[in-house]
Amino acid sequence: MDDPRFDVVLLTWCNDFPEIAARIVQGGVADMLLDPAFLHADMLIYHFGIYAELIDALLVGNGRAAQAVFFHNITPIEIVPAADRPTIERSFRQVSNLGCADEVWPVSPVNAQELIDRGLAQSRLYTIPLAVDMPELVDLEGKRATPIEILFVGRLVPSKGVLDLVRGAARIRHRLRVPARIRIVGNERFSSQAYIAAVRAEIAALGDDLSVELLGTVDDEALYGLYLSSHVFAIPSYHEGFCKTVVEALRAGCIPVGYAAHNLPNVVGGLGRLVAAGDVDELGEALLDVVNGAAAALEAPGQAHLRLDRGRMSLREFDREAKRHIDAFTFRRFAEATKERILILCQNGRQRPLAQSSMVSDISVR
């Protein structure tokens, strides 16, 4: 945070991003409570999306600092594998810790509503969407016209609907007016090996009728390249508390197609096609309509060939409206909102720098 009013220290139990300066708390919550940065902080900010021992520090704080929590949502227990359900149950129990915070900052409207439904006062909630500033901004206009590239990015687990994507595309493959290719990027470390095997089997059964590539884990440079070369972003997910990948896709000039689950209608903003979660036939029809529409729009970018949830739109209108929509998710907007809440909670106007300690759970996995 490039602001002389703030002195930021990041404490975490693990860090998969070496470019981020963070101090690893080795001994759990007890050691963090004794860390000098934690003890002397004026403001304590936590990130919570799944059970983490460090979140229990909310119960006591440091005795002087204001406390706030970014709430990233918890995947509903009914759509996670049985082996993961004990962790999800612990996560939902830990939500009660949020009652000790001065404010909770849900990252989306649906997250805010979930907390209200769980009894948190609306007056203590302040929605702050996540910041997404990559990849670079590009237009759909100007991308090559064929093949139409369909991209999926996310973990390969049942709740992400990858099998639905392959099956839906298979049902409409003979009605596509142009060649199309599906590329699936999945973080294998956080994926289900059994589900990956099922996806591979489904792809193999297609033969040469449809081009589907399972790319596995890729680095950021390769990922951004895939976004920039794609036309359609598939997001057949059954649950998304925010969905960073949709914003990434819109920045890269991709049209989202998927399920209207949880926060997806908010983050897509009508600039794609969303259908009822679990309706594989309608998912296929939406893909067919958007792929064929994108092909026609690339040939005539000024004509309203795109049938999106907002209505008919030209390719140029889509590019303009996408940029307007994703401005809400820029780092500038995120930083402004976060600093405003910090200053308010710390009684605005202190002359000395504010020390901020942030506890991060493992919530940044696509």
Side-chain angles (χ1 to χ4, degrees):
M1 188 180 290
D2 187 16
D3 189 318
R5 295 173 297 173
F6 299 88
D7 177 22
V8 181
V9 178
L10 177 62
L11 304 177
T12 181
W13 66 277
C14 70
N15 183 15
D16 291 332
F17 304 95
E19 69 275 14
I20 297 176
R23 188 152 73 241
I24 305 298
V25 177
Q26 300 285 357
V29 67
D31 278 5
M32 189 176 73
L33 290 172
L34 297 174
D35 188 285
F38 187 91
L39 287 171
H40 299 127
D42 301 298
M43 181 80 208
L44 295 166
I45 299 178
Y46 304 75
H47 285 258
F48 176 57
I50 195 167
Y51 175 83
E53 182 189 352
L54 300 190
I55 301 300
D56 288 339
L58 261 170
L59 299 173
V60 293
N62 68 5
R64 60 189 295 274
Q67 299 192 107
V69 185
F70 279 103
F71 178 58
H72 297 257
N73 206 281
I74 303 167
T75 304
I77 197 165
E78 62 270 15
I79 60 172
V80 300
D84 295 332
R85 290 180 180 176
T87 299
I88 297 299
E89 289 171 350
R90 294 182 79 187
S91 302
F92 279 112
R93 288 196 295 269
Q94 204 172 37
V95 170
S96 63
N97 291 10
L98 275 57
C100 297
D102 296 281
E103 281 190 354
V104 181
W105 301 336
V107 302
S108 69
V110 297
N111 290 359
Q113 187 58 53
E114 179 172 337
L115 293 175
I116 292 168
D117 293 344
R118 290 181 174 276
L120 269 74
Q122 188 169 5
S123 61
R124 294 172 56 215
L125 304 179
Y126 190 88
T127 301
I128 302 179
L130 296 178
V132 185
D133 272 350
M134 293 295 287
E136 65 183 280
L137 288 170
V138 301
D139 290 336
L140 177 55
E141 184 178 5
K143 292 187 178 184
R144 67 179 185 181
T146 184
I148 297 296
E149 301 280 7
I150 303 166
L151 178 66
F152 169 88
V153 178
R155 293 176 297 130
L156 274 70
V157 294
S159 65
K160 295 296 184 180
V162 184
L163 277 175
D164 293 17
L165 168 62
V166 178
R167 290 167 179 166
R171 295 176 190 182
I172 54 90
R173 63 192 186 277
H174 297 305
R175 294 157 57 201
L176 293 169
R177 298 175 186 167
V178 292
R181 175 172 61 167
I182 299 174
R183 295 178 291 184
I184 298 171
V185 175
N187 189 317
E188 295 180 353
R189 177 182 170 192
F190 296 97
S191 295
S192 162
Q193 296 306 307
Y195 194 73
I196 291 173
V199 172
R200 289 189 188 281
E202 199 74 27
I203 293 171
L206 290 172
D208 297 328
D209 282 351
L210 182 66
S211 176
V212 183
E213 298 180 10
L214 188 57
L215 302 179
T217 305
V218 302
D219 61 26
D220 284 347
E221 183 178 358
L223 175 62
Y224 296 148
L226 288 166
Y227 274 124
L228 296 175
S229 63
S230 296
H231 307 80
V232 178
F233 183 71
I235 184 68
S237 179
Y238 286 75
H239 177 268
E240 293 291 341
F242 175 72
C243 203
K244 176 185 175 184
T245 55
V246 164
V247 184
E248 291 174 335
L250 286 169
R251 289 181 60 87
C254 302
I255 303 171
V257 176
Y259 288 152
H262 292 261
N263 194 54
L264 285 171
N266 294 317
V267 75
V268 172
L271 295 168
R273 289 284 295 279
L274 301 178
V275 303
D279 194 330
V280 176
D281 286 333
E282 284 302 308
L283 177 65
E285 292 300 318
L287 276 172
L288 176 69
D289 208 9
V290 171
V291 168
N292 287 342
L298 287 164
E299 295 296 327
Q303 298 180 22
H305 286 297
L306 300 176
R307 291 179 55 218
L308 308 180
D309 290 339
R310 282 196 191 182
R312 284 195 170 272
M313 194 174 287
S314 73
L315 188 151
R316 289 172 182 160
E317 289 173 319
F318 169 80
D319 285 334
R320 183 179 65 248
E321 291 302 312
K323 288 183 178 62
R324 183 176 300 167
H325 175 63
I326 61 177
D327 183 67
F329 310 112
T330 57
F331 181 77
R332 172 182 56 82
R333 290 288 193 93
F334 173 83
E336 287 172 354
T338 303
K339 289 191 286 187
E340 177 187 31
R341 300 318 302 169
I342 292 172
L343 293 171
I344 289 172
L345 288 172
C346 291
Q347 299 176 345
N348 201 358
R350 291 186 177 183
Q351 298 303 309
R352 60 189 175 84
L354 299 174
Q356 172 189 340
S357 298
S358 179
M359 281 53 70
V360 182
S361 184
D362 194 0
I363 47 172
S364 57
V365 180
R366 289 186 177 91

